[in-house]
Amino acid sequence: MDFVCPGDPAVWDDDGGHFGPCFADLVLGFAGNAIATAAALGLFLAKRNTSRAQNVRRGLLEKLFAFGVPGFSACLSLVGLTVLAKKKFEGKYVENYELFFTCSQFIAWMSVSLVCVSGAWFEILYNPIMCFCWILKIILEIPHLQYKLTLLKAMTSFMEIISFCTATTFGLFVILAAVVGQSGNKREVNSIEAPLILNDEKSEGEITNTIKDYNLWELLTFKFVNPVMDIGITRQLDFTDLLELPTELRATSCYDKLMSSWTVEYQNHRDNSSLLRAMSYSYGWTYLRLGLLKVLNDSINFVSPLLLNKFIRLLQEGSDGMDGYILAISLGLTSIIKSFLDSQYSFRLAKLKLTLRSSIMGIIYRKCLCLSIAERSRFSEGEIQTFMSVDADRTINLCNSLHDAWSLPLQIGVALYLLYTQVNYAFLSGLAITIILIPVNKWISTRIAGATEKMMKQKDRRISCAGELLAHIRTVKMYSWEKLFTERLVERRESEVKHLATRKYLDAWCVYFWATTPTLFSLFTFSIFAIMGHTLDAATVFTCVALFNTLISPLNSFPWVINGMIDAVISSRRLSNYLSTPEHHSSKLTTSADLLNHHFKRYTEVTHNPMAIVLQNVSCSWSSSSVAEPSIVLRDISLQLQKGLFIAIVGEVGSGKSSLLNTVIGETHVISGSISSCDSIAYVPQVPWILSGTLRDNILLGKEFDPRRYEEVIEACALRVDISAMARGDMSHIGEKGTNLSGGQRARLALARALYHNSDVYLFDDILSAVDSQVASWILEKAVMGHQLMQKKTRLLSTHNLQAISAADMIVVMANGLIKWFGTPQSFLATPYSRISKPDNSSPTSFAASLKDKTPMVTCELKTDVILEDSAVSYEETKDQIEEEARKQGKVELGVYKKYAAFAGWSAVVLIFLSAFIMQASRNSNDLWLTYWVDTSTGTNNTKFYLIILAMFGIINSLFTLGRAFSFAFGGLRAAIHIHASLLENIISAPICFFDQNPSGRILNRLSSDLYTVDDSLPFIINIFVANFFSLLGTLVVLSYSQVSFLLILLPLWLIYRKLQFYYRSTSREVRRLDSVARSPIYSSFTETLDGSSTIRAFQNEGFFLERFIQHVTLYQKTSYSELIASLWLSLRLQLLAGFIILFIAMMATISFHSSSLVNFATPGLVGLALSYAAPVVSLLNGFLTTFTETEKEMISVERVDEYIGIPQEELQGSEPLPRSWPTKGKIEFEHVTLKYKSELPPALSDVSFLIASGMQVGIIGRTGAGKSSILNALFRLVPICNGRILVDGIDLAKVAVRELRGHFAVVPQSPFLFDGSLRENLDPFNTTTDLRIWEVLENCHMKGEVESIGGLDIHVKESGASFSVGQRQLLCLARAILKSSKVLCLDECTANVDNQTAFLLQSTISSECKGMTVLTIAHRISTVMQMDNILVLDQGKLVEEGNPEALMNHRFSRFAQYAKASQM
């Protein structure tokens, strides 16, 4: 033993403060090296058969660390060993234990070097065992370094420091490799490098996530997300790659839980029900348990400042014992424990928020399904969409705000008490500043709440208007109303921005007050403390600085917490009001296993009543039950309809036919009387509701597929040839609202859906008006009266069709909301009401003759004609199908950031960055000045000088904080204004094919959710990101200055940090994009359901649609959950990294401050400064990358908006200017015109040529889909023609500016459109006509009496003109077209939804009002074109017949004659 350690070696040295040199080297140091060597060699032997192929794929930096660091250290050890050996040979005294230690160190480094060169080093270094052994080696070497630094030999000290730092750096690399890079048994991909190749030659598609129970370590470290992140850096993620949802996050269970609580709440409180109370019933206890975790987490937060105080005092007093090491390790461990607690609290809180989000979305959607049209009228469509897109998110944010509301004051209180223990009552000066700001902040918060509520109302109005525009974009373009709607939207946007600006600038004051509070607190506290005669020392100052830093987060967060709570309460009240609205039926919708049958069961009493429908003294209104004096639409209706009858409901336009059918299915508000219907109902509305999906899906609507029934229905609805003409048959995709179908096809598809459901009662609302006469005859015979399909079925048909009326068993005559007559068709002839259904040219005996045979006279010849003609259902409206929503790949491009900066204004951007830089510089200078003060001042001398400088830094910081806050508010507001303007301009100027390819829900998502992000959350997160960036920069500079040793780990830390953020960002970007894509179907489905809710309820199919929506929400939950876990994975690792920084600085400070140390790194002041700055590195590092990633995620909204800003535009400029009075004659020429909706499809118009002389009235007829509407599409340039040209008054339309062109034509579209506004605005939107002229035209269009009865021209027209019947809307559209006084008038079946008598009067009106005008009429009723000058007959896109109607009628075999013959049967 004497040979190794001469004398009597002891564990401790003579002072008792250090380990003895022999014990430090021979026991501790030698043991550490031996353990590291054994670990390296043992792992090498264990992994010797592992393939080395993956070594080649390691990155350059990894290879540098793996080969370079051990090689350098081995050389350094060899140099040290050589020096010692040389001294020994020269006879100089060298301790043998030093030789043993240096030799063991050399062997350890050589072992690692050899293993790296000859083995699968990634398997050895990326191993937890190696990680643990190397940490142990570093810790055991600290006593050796400590005694070496006391020898006062500069060269020795320098070499020892280099050696120790190299070992520490390599240790960092090993830790990173073990924690981040270790794949383990469950992972198939190496996680840290890109590009990565999967092990065992498995394809990427084979990696799947299965539901399993994770162990405690995986749950603590979020390691179970690693497989997803592995895939994220190798390729684009797909939905199948995401994490599986835990059971408690499944949308089904979430919905059921909250729904049951809401049901109890509503039963107890009715109209005063509170969604917040229902949420507390469901999740209150879970939320309270989270509060306990929050208390523990906040308590740990205050341990660090107390430990810091003791540590600095220990350094000042110069203790040489182990206390310094114990306190240093305690500081590091506290930070690590806090990291785990913090991430677990965030994880569980976020899970609760996800649970609530899916629950609230589910019950909002369910309410939409159960709310009748009358009750829904108290909310606008935009308002209901806002409930889903905005209010749901705001309400769940209460989860954050409620715990923070008690936690933040508690944190502030504890911090203030600890300040009192440090500076006595001097802290009251800082507290006074805080208290003064409380009422100011309260006033600001109140104003912000008011501005937010007003802003939300304006947002509702804007989204409602945008939805209206998108729903009727084709009509808007034909009217050339783009400018009108742009102005309407801009006006609403300006009102919204006005309140947004108020909110932004008040937020800026909020930010300013709370950001400057810590600086002012510091200034006032230290000033008063010094003035009171106390001496500032390092321990006091930096404990206080650490406490100020602890105060920053709660002080800055508190105003946001208050605002968040206010927003959440406002939104929850809005939702409670909506959810408390009386429902259509007291049905209980669940998503339990029963729902898998896709049946929505109503519990109705089964009776054997021979009556199918009984109405007794029913009076009803379209107003909701909350309206005190509702406008009655049906009055004292009493009707008993037997089972199995076919009832025709007739009456003039606006008589109440549709209202009667809607009353039967419960859509109106019944004021008095009773309705009973014991049978199942199928309903076909006047405007067919078409679902986005396949044609088969539209017919089945959730029912099981029955091939036999399906084929019968297809045949009866004359859809067979339509389906055969489609590329994928009945699996072809139907666009939103049936955009790629013609009007007739939509009507027949809706009819097919009703027939397939095999209900007992069928309600048909004017289904025959949308199809031509031949198809109408076929449908009437095969569908409405078909013996196979309609045996013993009750049918109610609202119609003007003569054949249908004559074939009915009973006829109901309605007028002014009353049933005027009810009886058989035979007795109907004797009544004065029979004139309603007489066509204009029918003989007095024609109707009577048709009654002789109750079956429509459809001969075999006609049947053949129908089938032959049906082949004409080709490609007229077969436009581009809905495209899957695109999403970008990779990181958000720099160009997106530049565009956002350009929108905000480059001057504002420069000002923001300059203000933020100077603000941070002044704050760091303030702390450095304090350090200088405590290190140089020994008494109270020069206190005034020190305080003046300190005050200067405080004032500069305050001014530039104010500048940053307001420049951010200004820049964010400016960007929001310009982005909306550009987006709106580009969307409204897009060609019509863009709207056919993109459902309105997808576009509305840009105008609502994405724009909300641009308005509100993006500027907010960028503000925090910029602040975090400069804070981190300032912190690194101060740490490097105050602790030079920090520079040694700066490079390794940066490399680790870079790897982590690359690994995380690759996945987070893709998951956020998937999140956006998953969100769109939710809003599309919601919008679609709003449109078709009455049809869904009539079919009793609410359960199927709820289940379908829940599936969309589940996918959305999946993306959000994966995004959450990935962000927590990163957050935890960054916090652990920051904990290591604190541990390193504390340990180095302890080593350097021991007495007689040669190298003293810093003064107590600088150590205190370094440690007080190292503590917030936890939140700064995490905050910087989180906000950077969040900024990138939020920027995806800008990226998505930018996609639509860059869409192709219509050619708005023309080479040929138009005279103001053009067209003066109205001469129209088509020369060899060919039109295709898609390049790969057959032409919708094929080489069509015709000439229409000025002043002629021309009828365009043909089978459904023959190309009739394509004539108008070509004339209005909605779709560009492929070949030929169109001339109007000799001017080639291709050379004319498209909006100017459309503005000179008048049109009445197939789907009548009235927008939200006054009736006068609807009829004369540009205010160019007198009221007298408007009344005159309304009288000619037979609408004057109706308009006068409801309040005149100033009445408010609801969305889409819901207050008028479809027929009345069409008459108003005709009045609007006549008022335009154009020489070219296009009528797209404008008499389809009016009775025959009104149609005859309208034809007379058109003839008288439109003298000298060229009129093009697309007609299904032959009677409407019989008096016209010329007829164009189209078939399969070709002009097959042209001529005067009388001349064509004289040719028995002409197409026109066949149509006319069919129409009279």
Side-chain angles (χ1 to χ4, degrees):
M1 190 66 185
D2 283 342
F3 171 72
V4 181
C5 294
D8 187 15
V11 174
W12 303 101
D13 63 5
D14 297 336
D15 298 332
H18 300 289
F19 287 111
C22 183
F23 184 81
D25 277 0
L26 195 63
V27 178
L28 301 180
F30 184 84
N33 289 322
I35 289 167
T37 305
L41 294 174
L43 286 169
F44 171 70
L45 292 172
K47 306 283 184 180
R48 64 184 182 276
N49 295 323
T50 304
S51 168
R52 294 175 57 192
Q54 291 195 36
N55 285 352
V56 180
R57 293 195 294 273
R58 300 301 100 194
L60 179 63
L61 285 172
E62 276 188 274
K63 289 180 180 178
L64 179 67
F65 273 103
F67 297 105
V69 176
F72 171 77
S73 300
C75 292
L76 198 65
S77 301
L78 184 61
V79 168
L81 194 59
T82 305
V83 169
L84 288 174
K86 186 183 176 185
K87 285 181 180 178
K88 192 84 170 170
F89 285 123
E90 289 174 354
K92 294 178 182 177
Y93 181 73
V94 176
E95 297 288 0
N96 288 329
Y97 56 77
E98 274 193 79
L99 275 169
F100 273 100
F101 171 78
T102 311
C103 191
S104 68
Q105 196 176 46
F106 173 69
I107 292 168
W109 282 117
M110 279 303 296
S111 300
V112 172
S113 299
L114 290 170
V115 161
C116 288
V117 171
S118 51
W121 56 266
F122 70 94
E123 286 282 358
I124 296 165
L125 300 184
Y126 290 20
N127 195 293
I129 297 171
M130 191 66 187
C131 173
F132 175 77
C133 292
W134 203 267
I135 291 170
L136 198 61
K137 167 182 157 56
I138 293 168
I139 292 169
L140 292 174
E141 271 190 27
I142 290 173
H144 167 80
L145 176 67
Q146 190 179 357
Y147 91 76
K148 280 290 184 182
L149 293 178
T150 60
L151 296 177
L152 303 179
K153 293 180 180 178
M155 191 61 194
T156 305
S157 298
F158 177 73
M159 286 190 66
E160 290 295 340
I161 289 168
I162 292 294
S163 176
F164 184 77
C165 288
T166 311
T168 306
T169 304
F170 188 72
L172 276 173
F173 170 66
V174 171
I175 291 165
L176 173 69
V179 174
V180 181
Q182 169 65 22
S183 59
N185 296 328
K186 296 177 187 175
R187 295 175 60 194
E188 301 184 22
V189 190
N190 186 275
S191 60
I192 208 70
E193 278 298 325
L196 299 176
I197 299 172
L198 302 176
N199 292 336
D200 304 326
E201 299 178 354
K202 288 189 179 181
S203 66
E204 291 165 348
E206 288 179 59
I207 297 178
T208 56
N209 295 306
T210 55
I211 305 170
K212 57 182 177 182
D213 294 326
Y214 301 114
N215 60 43
L216 182 63
W217 177 248
E218 285 177 322
L219 288 171
L220 280 174
T221 60
F222 307 105
K223 194 179 173 185
F224 55 90
V225 80
N226 284 351
V228 177
M229 300 181 84
D230 289 336
I231 300 168
I233 54 174
T234 59
R235 62 170 170 84
Q236 189 180 24
L237 283 172
D238 201 355
F239 289 111
T240 54
D241 301 318
L242 301 176
L243 289 171
E244 286 298 328
L245 284 172
T247 309
E248 66 272 19
L249 283 183
R250 301 261 173 96
T252 305
S253 56
C254 297
Y255 164 81
D256 285 342
K257 191 170 184 178
L258 185 60
M259 190 62 225
S260 59
S261 297
W262 172 255
T263 304
V264 172
E265 171 68 15
Y266 184 68
Q267 286 169 351
N268 294 337
H269 298 93
R270 291 292 165 183
D271 290 345
N272 295 318
S273 299
S274 166
L275 179 60
L276 292 181
R277 270 201 300 265
M279 286 162 60
S280 68
Y281 296 151
S282 298
Y283 301 105
W285 176 236
T286 307
Y287 191 64
L288 283 174
R289 288 205 308 268
L290 274 176
L292 298 174
L293 188 58
K294 178 78 172 162
V295 170
L296 183 61
N297 192 24
D298 292 345
S299 303
I300 293 283
N301 211 24
F302 290 100
V303 174
S304 293
L306 298 175
L307 286 172
L308 179 65
N309 181 271
K310 287 190 174 294
F311 183 68
I312 295 174
R313 290 201 184 281
L314 191 74
L315 295 182
Q316 284 178 320
E317 291 162 6
S319 171
D320 287 337
M322 293 299 293
D323 293 349
Y325 294 107
I326 292 168
L327 284 172
I329 292 167
S330 299
L331 275 167
L333 282 177
T334 303
S335 180
I336 289 165
I337 293 166
K338 171 104 174 58
S339 303
F340 282 108
L341 284 173
D342 199 37
S343 60
Q344 285 302 309
Y345 172 73
S346 300
F347 171 53
R348 293 172 197 288
L349 182 68
K351 271 178 69 177
L352 180 60
K353 286 174 69 178
L354 286 179
T355 305
L356 279 170
R357 186 184 70 181
S358 65
S359 308
I360 292 170
M361 281 183 159
I363 63 172
I364 291 171
Y365 184 80
R366 177 205 166 274
K367 194 68 182 182
C368 165
L369 287 171
C370 295
L371 209 56
S372 69
I373 294 172
E375 291 300 338
R376 206 175 78 194
S377 65
R378 66 173 79 179
F379 308 100
S380 71
E381 201 163 306
E383 204 174 348
I384 295 172
Q385 284 168 342
T386 309
F387 291 151
M388 183 71 81
S389 61
V390 177
D391 290 302
D393 283 337
R394 285 190 165 184
T395 302
I396 62 167
N397 283 336
L398 194 66
C399 292
N400 295 74
S401 305
L402 271 180
H403 274 325
D404 287 342
W406 62 260
S407 168
L408 297 182
L410 181 67
Q411 289 179 50
I412 293 167
V414 173
L416 292 175
Y417 170 74
L418 293 175
L419 279 171
Y420 166 73
T421 63
Q422 297 299 315
V423 292
N424 294 330
Y425 291 103
F427 86 95
L428 289 175
S429 58
L431 183 61
I433 297 291
T434 311
I435 291 170
I436 289 167
L437 288 176
I438 288 172
V440 175
N441 192 62
K442 185 178 183 300
W443 178 82
I444 290 173
S445 298
T446 308
R447 292 290 305 275
I448 287 173
T452 301
E453 196 160 5
K454 289 172 185 171
M455 184 187 79
M456 291 306 296
K457 284 180 182 174
Q458 295 303 325
K459 187 186 285 291
D460 290 344
R461 287 183 67 224
R462 178 178 62 81
I463 291 173
S464 177
C465 184
E468 198 172 48
L469 165 68
L470 294 170
H472 302 281
I473 187 68
R474 185 178 295 273
T475 308
V476 169
K477 285 188 173 293
M478 291 179 87
Y479 281 136
S480 190
W481 278 358
E482 291 97 335
K483 186 180 176 185
L484 172 73
F485 268 85
T486 301
E487 287 172 356
R488 283 162 58 82
L489 277 165
V490 165
E491 180 193 342
R492 285 163 168 74
R493 176 64 174 172
E494 281 174 353
S495 302
E496 183 187 351
V497 166
K498 184 176 130 187
H499 300 302
L500 179 66
T502 304
R503 180 183 162 134
K504 288 281 178 195
Y505 289 121
L506 287 171
D507 272 348
W509 278 112
C510 237
V511 168
Y512 166 68
F513 285 132
W514 291 97
T516 54
T517 301
T519 306
L520 295 173
F521 208 120
S522 167
L523 176 64
F524 278 79
T525 301
F526 291 140
S527 300
I528 298 298
F529 188 67
I531 289 167
M532 286 167 66
H534 298 289
T535 303
L536 287 173
D537 62 10
T540 301
V541 167
F542 291 106
T543 302
C544 289
V545 168
L547 289 168
F548 294 152
N549 286 332
T550 307
L551 272 173
I552 287 173
S553 181
L555 285 175
N556 280 341
S557 301
F558 205 63
W560 303 111
V561 168
I562 294 169
N563 294 343
M565 286 182 71
I566 292 165
D567 287 348
V569 169
I570 290 169
S571 288
S572 68
R573 283 177 185 164
R574 281 160 55 91
L575 289 176
S576 300
N577 183 33
Y578 171 64
L579 295 170
S580 301
T581 310
E583 291 183 2
H584 177 263
H585 288 288
S586 58
S587 309
K588 293 183 181 179
L589 275 173
T590 67
T591 55
S592 59
D594 298 339
L595 203 58
L596 297 176
N597 298 323
H598 300 312
H599 290 299
F600 179 73
K601 297 181 179 176
R602 290 198 176 101
Y603 301 97
T604 53
E605 187 181 349
V606 179
T607 64
H608 299 286
N609 194 333
M611 295 297 169
I613 298 168
V614 179
L615 291 89
Q616 293 181 338
N617 302 318
V618 172
S619 294
C620 61
S621 167
W622 281 113
S623 306
S624 71
S625 56
S626 61
V627 176
E629 296 181 3
S631 174
I632 295 173
V633 291
L634 294 180
R635 195 184 300 274
D636 297 326
I637 300 291
S638 292
L639 204 59
Q640 292 189 346
L641 304 176
Q642 290 184 4
K643 291 181 179 179
L645 291 184
F646 171 31
I647 300 104
I649 304 170
V650 299
E652 294 183 352
V653 172
S655 58
K657 301 186 296 298
S658 296
S659 297
L660 177 62
L661 296 180
N662 276 286
T663 300
V664 172
I665 59 172
E667 293 304 316
T668 58
H669 169 221
V670 177
I671 297 165
S672 62
S674 65
I675 306 165
S676 63
S677 170
C678 300
D679 299 325
S680 59
I681 293 175
Y683 170 59
V684 183
Q686 195 168 11
V687 178
W689 176 64
I690 305 299
L691 197 63
S692 179
T694 66
L695 188 140
R696 182 183 289 187
D697 288 342
N698 267 280
I699 294 173
L700 300 185
L701 206 69
K703 279 183 75 76
E704 290 181 9
F705 180 64
D706 178 355
R708 184 178 172 184
R709 178 80 182 176
Y710 187 77
E711 288 301 320
E712 287 174 357
V713 167
I714 294 295
E715 181 71 24
C717 297
L719 279 169
R720 190 176 302 285
V721 180
D722 301 70
I723 291 171
S724 64
M726 294 178 180
R728 298 181 60 201
D730 66 349
M731 300 310 287
S732 296
H733 189 87
I734 307 301
E736 190 184 37
K737 298 184 179 178
T739 51
N740 50 342
L741 298 177
S742 69
Q745 287 170 326
R746 288 197 289 270
R748 285 181 286 131
L749 184 56
L751 175 63
R753 175 195 298 149
L755 296 183
Y756 184 80
H757 275 67
N758 199 19
S759 301
D760 300 309
V761 178
Y762 290 90
L763 308 179
F764 302 125
D765 196 353
D766 204 12
I767 57 169
L768 302 177
S769 64
V771 295
D772 59 66
S773 53
Q774 287 182 300
V775 176
S777 299
W778 177 272
I779 287 172
L780 195 58
E781 181 195 13
K782 299 293 181 183
V784 178
M785 300 188 64
H787 295 297
Q788 281 185 311
L789 295 171
M790 288 297 176
Q791 196 172 10
K792 297 181 181 179
K793 306 292 185 186
T794 309
R795 290 141 289 160
L796 277 73
L797 173 65
S798 159
T799 187
H800 306 297
N801 185 284
L802 177 62
Q803 291 175 263
I805 295 167
S806 63
D809 299 313
M810 301 295 285
I811 296 174
V812 177
V813 180
M814 299 199 68
N816 301 318
L818 298 166
I819 292 181
K820 291 292 187 181
W821 187 86
F822 176 54
T824 62
Q826 287 81 3
S827 55
F828 177 63
L829 266 180
T831 67
Y833 305 111
S834 60
R835 73 181 192 282
I836 294 169
S837 54
K838 286 181 185 177
D840 54 300
N841 60 344
S842 62
S843 64
T845 59
S846 62
F847 183 79
S850 66
L851 292 173
K852 289 179 183 176
D853 187 358
K854 298 288 288 187
T855 307
M857 296 163 61
V858 184
T859 63
C860 293
E861 181 187 357
L862 176 62
K863 183 175 177 181
T864 308
D865 284 346
V866 170
I867 293 169
L868 290 171
E869 295 277 1
D870 223 337
S871 62
V873 183
S874 56
Y875 307 96
E876 176 192 353
E877 299 286 336
T878 313
K879 302 167 191 69
D880 296 348
Q881 291 182 353
I882 300 296
E883 293 178 351
E884 188 178 341
E885 185 162 13
R887 62 186 177 102
K888 302 247 179 159
Q889 298 185 29
K891 64 182 180 181
V892 176
E893 294 171 1
L894 184 62
V896 177
Y897 293 93
K898 285 181 179 176
K899 280 178 184 173
Y900 184 72
F903 281 126
W906 286 106
S907 54
V909 172
V910 171
L911 184 62
I912 286 164
F913 277 89
L914 189 64
S915 303
F917 174 76
I918 298 175
M919 185 192 90
Q920 186 61 40
S922 59
R923 186 167 176 181
N924 295 140
S925 302
N926 184 74
D927 293 338
L928 285 165
W929 182 251
L930 269 173
T931 306
Y932 177 73
W933 184 353
V934 298
D935 281 338
T936 56
S937 176
T938 53
T940 55
N941 299 332
N942 298 325
T943 299
K944 186 177 179 182
F945 168 70
Y946 289 123
L947 284 176
I948 289 170
I949 302 295
L950 203 64
M952 281 175 59
F953 284 128
I955 292 165
I956 291 168
N957 178 267
S958 180
L959 287 173
F960 282 96
T961 302
L962 186 66
R964 193 203 81 182
F966 274 85
S967 55
F968 248 112
F970 173 76
L973 204 58
R974 186 174 172 184
I977 292 166
H978 284 100
I979 285 173
H980 176 267
S982 299
L983 178 64
L984 179 61
E985 184 185 347
N986 279 268
I987 285 176
I988 214 160
S989 300
I992 204 71
C993 61
F994 169 77
F995 300 96
D996 294 333
Q997 292 168 352
N998 295 278
S1000 60
R1002 187 183 295 173
I1003 303 170
L1004 205 59
N1005 196 5
R1006 260 73 169 188
L1007 286 163
S1008 56
S1009 288
D1010 287 320
L1011 208 61
Y1012 178 72
T1013 298
V1014 170
D1015 286 353
D1016 205 44
S1017 52
L1018 179 61
F1020 173 71
I1021 203 72
I1022 291 179
N1023 194 350
I1024 298 173
F1025 166 65
V1026 171
N1028 278 335
F1029 171 73
F1030 283 108
S1031 292
L1032 187 60
L1033 191 65
T1035 300
L1036 293 176
V1037 169
V1038 170
L1039 281 173
S1040 301
Y1041 170 77
S1042 57
Q1043 279 287 299
V1044 181
S1045 59
F1046 179 73
L1047 291 170
L1048 297 170
I1049 60 166
L1050 192 56
L1051 179 64
L1053 281 175
W1054 179 77
L1055 292 172
I1056 294 168
Y1057 184 74
R1058 185 168 165 270
K1059 283 286 182 186
L1060 284 172
Q1061 63 89 21
F1062 164 74
Y1063 188 47
Y1064 167 70
R1065 282 175 57 216
S1066 301
T1067 301
S1068 71
R1069 273 194 310 265
E1070 293 303 316
V1071 176
R1072 173 52 68 97
R1073 284 177 179 137
L1074 284 174
D1075 193 66
S1076 294
V1077 171
R1079 191 172 61 230
S1080 287
I1082 291 173
Y1083 297 121
S1084 294
S1085 174
F1086 189 54
T1087 306
E1088 208 167 47
T1089 304
L1090 278 173
D1091 291 336
S1093 58
S1094 59
T1095 306
I1096 294 168
R1097 285 188 289 274
F1099 280 95
Q1100 301 180 7
N1101 234 356
E1102 297 97 325
F1104 167 70
F1105 278 88
L1106 180 61
E1107 181 71 12
R1108 187 168 164 263
F1109 180 78
I1110 290 292
Q1111 286 170 2
H1112 292 319
V1113 174
T1114 301
L1115 190 62
Y1116 188 31
Q1117 286 279 89
K1118 204 174 174 183
T1119 58
S1120 301
Y1121 180 65
S1122 297
E1123 187 180 12
L1124 163 71
I1125 300 299
S1127 65
L1128 287 170
W1129 177 95
L1130 172 76
S1131 172
L1132 177 65
R1133 280 147 184 79
L1134 290 180
Q1135 289 186 69
L1136 292 173
L1137 200 60
F1140 174 77
I1141 294 171
I1142 292 170
L1143 180 63
F1144 176 81
I1145 291 173
M1147 290 299 286
M1148 294 306 292
T1150 307
I1151 291 167
S1152 67
F1153 264 89
H1154 275 98
S1155 57
S1156 70
S1157 175
L1158 174 70
V1159 182
N1160 195 334
F1161 285 101
T1163 62
L1166 286 174
V1167 171
L1169 182 67
L1171 285 170
S1172 66
Y1173 265 69
V1177 163
V1178 175
S1179 57
L1180 277 177
L1181 272 174
N1182 187 27
F1184 172 69
L1185 188 50
T1186 303
T1187 51
F1188 177 60
T1189 310
E1190 280 300 317
T1191 301
E1192 194 173 40
K1193 288 176 185 175
E1194 299 291 348
M1195 270 291 171
I1196 289 169
S1197 287
V1198 180
E1199 181 184 69
R1200 283 162 57 80
V1201 168
D1202 186 51
E1203 279 177 41
Y1204 278 20
I1205 290 176
I1207 54 178
Q1209 302 288 286
E1210 288 185 310
E1211 293 178 22
L1212 300 181
Q1213 301 301 319
S1215 58
E1216 193 164 335
L1218 287 177
R1220 187 165 186 172
S1221 58
W1222 182 89
T1224 53
K1225 298 175 183 176
K1227 180 184 173 185
I1228 301 172
E1229 244 181 303
F1230 271 56
E1231 294 181 355
H1232 306 290
V1233 172
T1234 300
L1235 180 145
K1236 287 186 178 183
Y1237 289 105
K1238 213 172 182 182
S1239 58
E1240 62 268 23
L1241 292 174
L1245 292 177
S1246 180
D1247 198 32
V1248 171
S1249 298
F1250 58 80
L1251 171 65
I1252 299 173
S1254 60
M1256 285 186 73
Q1257 295 196 5
V1258 178
I1260 304 171
I1261 67 166
R1263 282 282 297 115
T1264 302
K1268 302 185 297 293
S1269 294
S1270 294
I1271 295 283
L1272 296 192
N1273 287 343
L1275 185 64
F1276 280 81
R1277 286 180 59 192
L1278 288 176
V1279 180
I1281 59 175
C1282 314
N1283 192 28
R1285 63 176 186 160
I1286 304 169
L1287 305 173
V1288 175
D1289 283 0
I1291 293 178
D1292 188 349
L1293 299 189
K1295 297 177 181 177
V1296 179
V1298 70
R1299 284 187 191 169
E1300 197 178 358
L1301 162 74
R1302 294 168 188 162
H1304 282 81
F1305 295 157
V1307 64
V1308 179
Q1310 191 171 14
S1311 301
F1313 170 45
L1314 298 177
F1315 57 81
D1316 189 20
S1318 73
L1319 182 59
R1320 199 195 190 292
E1321 284 176 326
N1322 269 279
L1323 294 172
D1324 182 24
F1326 298 107
N1327 201 21
T1328 57
T1329 313
T1330 63
D1331 283 7
L1332 192 64
R1333 172 64 180 154
I1334 293 173
W1335 283 115
E1336 183 187 333
V1337 172
L1338 284 174
E1339 188 172 15
N1340 291 334
C1341 292
H1342 309 284
M1343 280 298 294
K1344 183 178 179 182
E1346 179 66 28
V1347 171
E1348 283 179 327
S1349 68
I1350 57 174
L1353 295 176
D1354 293 325
I1355 61 149
H1356 185 81
V1357 178
K1358 293 181 182 177
E1359 290 171 297
S1360 303
S1363 45
F1364 294 100
S1365 71
V1366 176
Q1368 288 173 326
R1369 276 179 256 165
Q1370 217 148 20
L1371 295 178
L1372 289 170
C1373 288
L1374 177 61
R1376 178 198 291 152
I1378 292 170
L1379 284 167
K1380 197 167 185 180
S1381 302
S1382 170
K1383 280 291 180 181
V1384 175
L1385 172 62
C1386 301
L1387 307 171
D1388 193 352
E1389 194 46 67
C1390 72
T1391 58
N1393 297 297
V1394 298
D1395 57 89
N1396 290 314
Q1397 189 183 11
T1398 307
F1400 172 64
L1401 293 170
L1402 281 175
Q1403 286 304 120
S1404 303
T1405 302
I1406 292 166
S1407 299
S1408 60
E1409 287 283 339
C1410 303
K1411 279 180 182 175
M1413 293 168 61
T1414 304
V1415 180
L1416 274 70
T1417 302
I1418 293 176
H1420 292 143
R1421 284 182 181 169
I1422 298 300
S1423 60
T1424 59
V1425 297
M1426 289 301 289
Q1427 304 302 318
M1428 298 219 165
D1429 303 317
N1430 199 22
I1431 298 293
L1432 301 177
V1433 182
L1434 293 171
D1435 185 16
Q1436 290 187 303
K1438 294 177 181 176
L1439 182 62
V1440 293
E1441 210 166 76
E1442 181 180 7
N1444 183 276
E1446 288 184 15
L1448 292 173
M1449 282 295 288
N1450 292 331
H1451 289 82
R1452 285 181 56 200
F1453 299 107
S1454 73
R1455 301 279 185 114
F1456 181 70
Q1458 290 178 12
Y1459 285 137
K1461 181 183 174 185
S1463 68
Q1464 291 172 0
M1465 289 178 178

